[in-house]
Amino acid sequence: DAKTTQPNSMESNEEEPVHLPCNHSTISGTDYIHWYRQLPSQGPEYVIHGLTSNVNNRMASLAIAEDRKSSTLILHRATLRDAAVYYCILRWGAQKLVFGQGTRLTINP
Amino acid sequence: GAGVSQTPSNKVTEKGKYVELRCDPISGHTALYWYRQSLGQGPEFLIYFQGTGAADDSGLPNDRFFAVRPEGSVSTLKIQRTERGDSAVYLCASSLEGAGRLTEAFFGQGTRLTVV
């Protein structure tokens, strides 16, 4: 399984943008970049995924480097409800999702 | 039909006992995954079903763990001779999968298993 590297923790303030980085230097051409997050005492939930182009949805944006060796999840205006562990995962086809340690995001009021 | 449903939400059992954990996936989802999560760790893959068959069981830690999905819907994770180290939150996820499709996985709330 291709590996991803994320900071263990990050902190931000409410109503400010948050940029969560992920390095995946061994990504293959068919790997999609997925982001999931896990709120306290909940199962993980899907946030966004992409292959090459930047992606936007109602939850977040995903910016993918041109060489695809890194990506950034962008929360445009963080709220307290965005406090969670964020996981960056590489996935090809219907393979299992392989979770790392993720980034624990703390939002300050 | 809401999301993925897991029962029970909590289970306390004695060391050496047998337990069954149930997962009701979202209706129509062909893929079903089991994970377990220890405190402070990311979810760890156990097994993946495509329909009724186990497409990937490489994450099952040993032969005390077994999972079935006889009709391609509900799945049961079975743990024999439980050990204290089996204590964890067991998560189930389902998704629509098929050739050329790539869709999000929906997770249940999990079953917290405590072996005493």
Side-chain angles (χ1 to χ4, degrees):
Chain A
D1 300 314
K3 185 176 169 55
T4 63
T5 305
Q6 299 177 252
N8 289 334
S9 62
M10 288 185 65
E11 200 168 324
S12 185
N13 297 319
E14 202 175 7
E15 299 189 4
E16 290 185 357
V18 180
H19 291 231
L20 295 161
C22 182
N23 288 319
H24 29 77
S25 58
T26 59
I27 190 170
S28 73
T30 55
D31 283 333
Y32 280 76
I33 302 158
H34 290 247
W35 284 82
Y36 280 73
R37 72 179 186 180
Q38 189 170 21
L39 280 62
S41 301
Q42 304 282 321
E45 66 173 346
Y46 168 83
V47 178
I48 200 166
H49 76 274
L51 183 62
T52 56
S53 304
N54 294 344
V55 184
N56 299 295
N57 66 21
R58 63 175 180 81
M59 288 180 73
S61 296
L62 177 60
I64 301 172
E66 199 169 328
D67 64 4
R68 300 210 328 125
K69 293 186 177 182
S70 66
S71 60
T72 303
L73 179 71
I74 303 165
L75 307 178
H76 293 286
R77 201 160 163 267
T79 71
L80 296 177
R81 287 174 297 191
D82 291 320
V85 179
Y86 286 78
Y87 297 98
C88 170
I89 301 166
L90 301 183
R91 189 186 191 207
W92 173 79
Q95 280 183 342
K96 57 189 180 276
L97 294 164
V98 178
F99 290 83
Q101 296 282 64
T103 296
R104 182 172 298 278
L105 176 65
T106 301
I107 304 296
N108 299 314
Chain B
V4 176
S5 175
Q6 291 188 247
T7 53
S9 54
N10 279 285
K11 175 73 176 177
V12 180
T13 191
E14 292 180 348
K15 180 176 176 295
K17 298 288 189 184
Y18 167 83
V19 296
E20 289 190 352
L21 311 179
R22 177 187 168 107
C23 173
D24 278 89
I26 292 172
S27 177
H29 279 193
T30 55
L32 186 146
Y33 304 81
W34 283 99
Y35 288 80
R36 74 175 173 181
Q37 187 170 26
S38 301
L39 195 61
Q41 304 293 314
E44 173 193 16
F45 170 77
L46 295 177
I47 187 169
Y48 156 48
F49 287 90
Q50 181 60 257
T52 60
D56 183 351
D57 64 357
S58 62
L60 294 177
N62 51 59
D63 62 5
R64 295 187 299 104
F65 288 74
F66 189 71
V68 296
R69 195 185 184 199
E71 297 177 358
S73 178
V74 171
S75 177
T76 305
L77 178 66
K78 309 180 182 199
I79 310 174
Q80 298 177 318
R81 305 183 304 280
T82 52
E83 300 177 356
R84 292 197 178 89
D86 298 334
S87 297
V89 175
Y90 288 81
L91 294 162
C92 177
S94 72
S95 68
L96 277 171
E97 302 284 0
R101 302 181 73 173
L102 183 67
T103 62
E104 63 190 273
F106 293 84
F107 282 80
Q109 300 276 57
T111 293
R112 181 176 298 278
L113 176 66
T114 304
V115 182
V116 298

